[in-house]
Amino acid sequence: MATAVVIGAAVALLLGGLALFTALTARQAESLAPPAGRFVEVEGARLHYVDRGSGPVVVLVHGLSGNLRNFYGLIDELAATCRVIAVDRPGCGYSRMIRGQHPELRTQACIIARFVHELRLERPVLVGHSLGGALALAVALDHPDCVSALVLISTLSHEERVPPAAFKALDIRHPTLQWLIAWTLMAPLGKLAQRTRLDAVFAPERPPRSFVVDGGAALGLRPVSFVAACKDLTTVSDELATMTPRYPSMRIPVEVIFGRADPILDYQVHGERLAAALPNATLHLIAGGHMIPVTAADQIVRRIRQMVERAHQPTQRCGGQSDRHVST
């Protein structure tokens, strides 16, 4: 009996220590990368967003385990000619659900559509990176009057039942286990593996050392971020399975941009197949990996500006054949 009590006390002490370390790590992350913008409540979510510049509107949506700071290389450049709005997806960065459970992809699309209406944005160009590209596709399919065009960067567009190696630690389906790991093991192990994980996501390029703060990677060490990423990863393929048969119905112009050396998502599966399925899409392959919004920011800004000009022409080419254009 005494042994069991000692073991129980030791386990409780260990778990309490890990929870305290996690809370301190989260507080440190938020001091390094505090909220950068404004808040608005829509569809049960309190969304954090930044709003810069003036002119034609561009809305930026980040990917898995990310936040709006991931676009730090794009926002100021685009704001020179456009009104740029970058938003934290629910459960990411500083956006939170204030009612209901963490939303799946198409529910997040409803939230983003309401966000566009709440801010009185007139059919913006929607830019999505990685999982944010899947979300942009969901918005365009379910709320076609909400956007004028898409720019999809390194986008998840088809089912991936086996997650990329860099994200396998997020493949946890049971909510209690997600929460337990988030408050015990995630912070210490995440700190130890942060540089290795960033190297894997940025490969073949090297991640900027400033990305932990400027790019918001520090915020991924918080429990809320970990749980949201687990839920996003484990539910997105089922959502995509209902979306892919509808791709041929999409008529707005779409730019699909991929790095040829992307180690996270295969450009042939998620780039070429997507561009072939969409009636009005153009595929651009460039040098680089998955994080081209950071490593090839100049090229991405140029492509977004070209799409903005195209989307605001008096007449657009709609319903034509998909194009495949390879650039360096």
Side-chain angles (χ1 to χ4, degrees):
M1 178 66 73
T3 301
V5 171
V6 170
I7 292 174
V11 169
L13 185 63
L14 175 61
L15 293 177
L18 288 171
L20 177 61
F21 180 81
T22 297
L24 293 174
T25 299
R27 182 177 298 180
Q28 180 187 42
E30 292 176 351
S31 68
L32 289 172
R38 311 171 186 175
F39 292 88
V40 63
E41 292 186 10
V42 292
E43 293 289 313
R46 185 172 188 259
L47 298 182
H48 172 240
Y49 69 100
V50 298
D51 189 343
R52 307 271 174 80
S54 61
V57 182
V58 175
V59 176
L60 307 176
V61 184
H62 64 84
L64 181 68
S65 196
N67 57 82
L68 64 81
R69 285 177 176 262
N70 293 174
F71 295 115
Y72 75 98
L74 306 182
I75 293 172
D76 288 342
E77 288 296 318
L78 286 169
T81 56
C82 301
R83 181 183 177 190
V84 183
I85 297 170
V87 59
D88 285 332
R89 293 189 298 103
C92 304
Y94 289 96
S95 290
R96 298 285 182 274
M97 294 304 296
I98 52 180
R99 294 191 301 277
Q101 301 296 315
H102 181 79
E104 296 183 355
L105 187 72
R106 291 177 63 188
T107 303
Q108 291 187 38
C110 292
I111 292 171
I112 294 300
R114 287 300 309 159
F115 172 75
V116 168
H117 290 304
E118 184 71 21
L119 268 60
R120 302 182 185 276
L121 308 178
E122 185 63 33
R123 297 196 71 210
V125 171
L126 186 57
V127 179
H129 174 239
S130 196
L131 181 68
L135 178 54
L137 285 164
V139 172
L141 287 169
D142 292 347
H143 310 273
D145 295 334
C146 190
V147 294
S148 62
L150 302 182
V151 178
L152 306 176
I153 311 164
S154 310
T155 284
L156 174 68
S157 62
H158 291 74
E159 296 175 64
E160 285 277 350
R161 294 297 178 180
V162 179
F167 294 106
K168 280 188 177 179
L170 301 173
D171 192 13
I172 303 167
R173 297 179 181 274
H174 198 284
T176 302
L177 188 57
Q178 292 170 358
W179 182 89
L180 181 62
I181 292 174
W183 277 99
T184 56
L185 299 177
M186 186 275 300
L189 296 182
K191 274 201 165 188
L192 290 173
Q194 186 176 63
R195 181 53 53 178
T196 300
R197 185 173 175 225
L198 286 178
D199 285 344
V201 173
F202 272 84
E205 292 107 349
R206 297 286 293 175
R209 298 202 69 84
S210 63
F211 190 76
V212 171
V213 175
D214 294 344
L219 297 176
L221 294 175
R222 300 171 306 161
V224 63
S225 302
F226 179 81
V227 170
C230 290
K231 293 184 183 300
D232 285 336
L233 179 75
T234 55
T235 59
V236 67
S237 283
D238 288 341
E239 296 280 279
L240 286 170
T242 69
M243 289 167 49
T244 50
R246 300 170 59 199
Y247 288 163
S249 69
M250 193 182 302
R251 300 298 169 184
I252 61 173
V254 180
E255 294 279 316
V256 181
I257 310 171
F258 255 93
R260 287 190 185 89
D262 191 328
I264 304 299
L265 297 173
D266 186 336
Y267 76 83
Q268 293 177 311
V269 174
H270 299 279
E272 292 181 347
R273 283 179 63 190
L274 176 62
L278 298 173
N280 198 15
T282 304
L283 172 65
H284 300 280
L285 300 180
I286 66 175
H290 191 67
M291 294 302 293
I292 49 178
V294 177
T295 62
D298 289 347
Q299 294 183 66
I300 301 300
V301 166
R302 185 169 67 251
R303 294 293 178 193
I304 293 172
R305 282 181 173 150
Q306 289 173 354
M307 178 55 87
V308 169
E309 292 175 2
R310 180 181 174 190
H312 286 81
Q313 289 174 353
T315 58
Q316 296 178 0
R317 177 173 66 88
C318 294
Q321 295 298 312
S322 294
D323 299 318
R324 185 177 186 277
H325 175 71
V326 179
S327 58
T328 58

